[in-house]
Amino acid sequence: MGPSSPARTMRLWGPRSLGVALGVFMTIGFGLQLLGGAFQRRLPRLQLRQSWATSLGSAVPSCLPRQRLVFLKTHKSGSSSVLSLLHRYGDRHGLRFALPTRYQFGYPRLFRASQVKGYHPQGGGTQPPFHILCHHMRFNLKEVLQVMPSDSFFFSIVRDPAALARSAFSYYKSTSSAFRKAPSLAAFLANPRAFYRPGGRGDYYARNLLWFDFGLPFPPEKRIKRGNPKDPDSHQGHVLPSGTGPRAQILDPNALLQPVSTVADGHSQAVSPTSFNLGSSSFIQWGLAWLDSVFDLVMVAEYFDESLVLLADALCWGLDDVVGFMHNAQAGGEQGLRAAGTGGLTAEDQQLTARARAWNNLDWALYVHFNRSLWARIEQYGQRRLKHAVAELRARREAMAKHCLQGGKALDPKYITNSQFRPFQYGSAKVLGYSLRSSLSPKDREDCERLATPELQYKDKLDAKQFPSPVSISLKTSRLLSSRHQATD
């Protein structure tokens, strides 16, 4: 995953069987025709980055901060907390966001450059460059590269499908027809075919949501009938992406049935082979290899703080740049996330976990792959060094919470009276938020507001900053002229 040396890229084209080579070139050729050269435009960026020499504690950085960023905001994976960091960083440094007209880029349809507010195609007028693209979309590389330069830092986040399923069922029960018909998540996973119909309203939330968010096509057995009006982008979504990632490894489908470490103490969860059907293993390999070639880093929600340290290091940011509060968290949600990754589950919960991973088999393949790649990156970074940085990050977060927040923690929304900080409520579970202490100084309040503002309100703030309304501009102008007139009297 991420940048690669030419030598590593060339190893992809070493001696192979004629059949495999033919399949590779046919897939690449067909995919490139559809992507219009998007992969070729992204490929020059794939150069071996210097090993992470930047120390988070060093006073003088040895690299320049990265400020051209593409973050794929996946659903129910802790992505709102990452978005908050990007909002705050970009706002503080005067960076320009590629913003949707509302709050998402036409989801669940594939992203299109024309959905970016203020975007003008080449030849359509001059425009300042965008620095950050980070709001909800279904990933579409060709269109993203119309907006963002190919040397941008691409990253995203994944979550264990068992934990994601728990959160998605609660949050999207009224949105997904499959979830709405099921009396409980356990009942749904016991017999998902009784409730799930491909192409049903909102049912992309009910199965392999991560795979869907990454814009990947689905295996033939999971395709929706072509032309189904309920199938978003059915004419675009079923072609295997072009290119193979230089760090891609052959993924044995049997390996996905083996215990996979999902917690730092090494405890593992095994999935029953009898309930796990990968479909086309080569198809999944190609999907994962393609993601490896595009994304510089994929964070893992179960190792959120470790991922933040690696993100800061890769971007040459300071540790304070990634110190933030959790956003869009459901009451009890963090406990559920931890439980999904531990060995302390009841027999019933273990069965639900296994069924959720089996039903969301493509998401499980994604999670296994990026969990392994994250830990390979941790090994390169150094576990002792990482442990120290994570401890420092958590200490700073706790100190900021005590300094900024009433009660020093997230609150039930009924206790948040200021609409500026009240998070959007959706689904059956309460979404927690923050309220600031009243004794803050003006400067501290400004900093704390950036930490506590929910994503929708912050997006509106950035929108108003980048696209001030004519009324506000005329008011500012009239006030300026009035002050000048008074000064000359």
Side-chain angles (χ1 to χ4, degrees):
M1 182 179 61
S4 170
S5 67
R8 296 178 74 184
T9 304
M10 288 302 295
R11 283 208 296 269
L12 290 169
W13 310 107
R16 303 274 181 92
S17 67
L18 180 61
V20 173
L22 181 60
V24 168
F25 287 116
M26 288 180 64
T27 304
I28 290 177
F30 186 44
L32 285 176
Q33 292 180 37
L34 286 151
L35 289 177
F39 180 77
Q40 290 175 309
R41 293 168 61 185
R42 175 82 176 131
L43 191 59
R45 178 196 57 81
L46 303 177
Q47 300 173 358
L48 184 61
R49 187 187 293 116
Q50 295 293 325
S51 62
W52 304 309
T54 306
S55 170
L56 290 171
S58 63
V60 181
S62 60
C63 52
L64 295 176
R66 301 286 297 271
Q67 295 187 337
R68 294 295 178 89
L69 312 173
V70 176
F71 174 59
L72 175 61
K73 187 180 186 295
T74 53
H75 287 82
K76 312 315 297 176
S77 299
S79 61
S80 293
S81 302
V82 181
L83 184 69
S84 175
L85 301 175
L86 297 176
H87 280 166
R88 192 175 83 240
Y89 183 91
D91 186 22
R92 191 168 66 247
H93 289 85
L95 304 184
R96 191 165 184 259
F97 287 82
L99 296 172
T101 302
R102 301 197 61 176
Y103 299 103
Q104 300 184 5
F105 289 109
Y107 192 89
R109 296 193 176 276
L110 290 168
F111 172 82
R112 298 195 308 274
S114 60
Q115 295 164 335
V116 175
K117 189 172 182 178
Y119 168 76
H120 304 289
Q122 292 181 354
T126 59
Q127 63 178 7
F130 293 110
H131 296 95
I132 301 176
L133 173 64
C134 59
H135 293 86
H136 268 313
M137 63 173 160
R138 189 176 180 206
F139 190 67
N140 183 356
L141 178 60
K142 177 184 176 181
E143 291 291 311
V144 167
L145 290 174
Q146 299 295 317
V147 178
M148 301 296 296
S150 62
D151 62 350
S152 300
F153 186 90
F154 282 61
F155 69 112
S156 187
I157 187 169
V158 296
R159 185 181 185 183
D160 186 329
L164 192 153
R166 289 175 171 88
S167 181
F169 186 84
S170 170
Y171 199 80
Y172 297 116
K173 185 167 175 57
S174 63
T175 305
S176 165
S177 61
F179 285 162
R180 189 168 56 249
K181 290 181 288 186
S184 66
L185 178 61
F188 174 79
L189 292 173
N191 186 16
R193 296 289 182 185
F195 308 101
Y196 177 85
R197 295 290 181 271
R201 179 180 175 272
D203 280 357
Y204 38 85
Y205 292 123
R207 190 177 195 192
N208 293 313
L209 179 55
L210 291 173
W211 192 273
F212 185 86
D213 283 352
F214 275 99
L216 293 168
F218 285 80
E221 64 270 21
K222 292 182 174 57
R223 290 185 187 178
I224 305 167
K225 289 184 179 180
R226 190 177 297 273
N228 186 336
K230 296 181 181 180
D231 171 22
D233 299 295
S234 61
H235 62 291
Q236 301 184 57
H238 304 308
V239 179
L240 195 64
S242 68
T244 59
R247 297 184 67 251
Q249 301 174 1
I250 299 302
L251 186 59
D252 179 3
N254 294 321
L256 294 179
L257 308 178
Q258 303 303 317
V260 176
S261 176
T262 56
V263 290
D265 61 6
H267 290 299
S268 301
Q269 294 285 334
V271 178
S272 169
T274 59
S275 64
F276 202 113
N277 177 21
L278 279 177
S280 171
S281 62
S282 60
F283 178 91
I284 294 174
Q285 293 166 30
W286 274 98
L288 297 175
W290 186 78
L291 292 179
D292 277 342
S293 72
V294 173
F295 285 87
D296 298 284
L297 173 68
V298 176
M299 305 166 65
V300 175
E302 281 71 18
Y303 306 107
F304 189 75
D305 290 343
E306 291 85 350
S307 295
L308 287 179
V309 171
L310 295 178
L311 176 66
D313 187 72
L315 296 179
C316 195
W317 287 9
L319 188 60
D320 284 334
D321 292 325
V322 295
V323 173
F325 303 148
M326 296 299 294
H327 283 268
N328 207 30
Q330 300 177 47
E334 288 189 62
Q335 288 80 359
L337 185 151
R338 286 197 296 269
T342 68
L345 298 175
T346 65
E348 182 180 356
D349 283 338
Q350 288 180 9
Q351 184 182 57
L352 187 146
T353 294
R355 286 175 171 173
R357 291 171 175 173
W359 173 245
N360 297 284
N361 60 327
L362 300 177
D363 281 5
W364 180 233
L366 276 175
Y367 182 79
V368 170
H369 183 74
F370 289 121
N371 181 51
R372 288 173 176 165
S373 67
L374 181 79
W375 280 94
R377 194 159 186 150
I378 288 172
E379 289 297 323
Q380 184 176 355
Y381 184 90
Q383 289 206 31
R384 180 177 297 180
R385 178 185 173 207
L386 181 71
K387 183 178 180 180
H388 172 76
V390 167
E392 179 65 21
L393 182 147
R394 290 172 178 169
R396 295 189 191 185
R397 179 190 294 142
E398 183 178 359
M400 290 298 295
K402 290 180 179 179
H403 178 70
C404 291
L405 305 176
Q406 287 186 7
K409 61 181 180 180
L411 300 175
D412 185 295
K414 68 182 180 183
Y415 298 116
I416 304 173
T417 57
N418 189 337
S419 61
Q420 178 184 353
F421 302 113
R422 184 179 174 85
F424 176 66
Q425 299 297 309
Y426 192 81
S428 59
K430 294 179 180 179
V431 178
L432 304 178
Y434 303 100
S435 183
L436 300 186
R437 293 173 58 236
S438 58
S439 59
L440 295 170
S441 68
K443 177 62 172 65
D444 285 353
R445 183 171 185 84
E446 180 182 0
D447 293 337
C448 291
E449 283 182 354
R450 287 192 173 119
L451 286 162
T453 300
E455 61 179 283
L456 300 189
Q457 289 93 320
Y458 216 134
K459 186 269 175 184
D460 288 340
K461 173 186 175 182
L462 295 171
D463 200 313
K465 183 178 180 179
Q466 288 186 199
F467 304 98
S469 65
V471 175
S472 63
I473 292 176
S474 62
L475 285 174
K476 289 180 181 178
T477 303
S478 62
R479 289 170 183 169
L480 178 62
L481 291 175
S482 175
S483 63
R484 287 180 176 177
H485 178 72
Q486 292 173 358
T488 56
D489 286 347

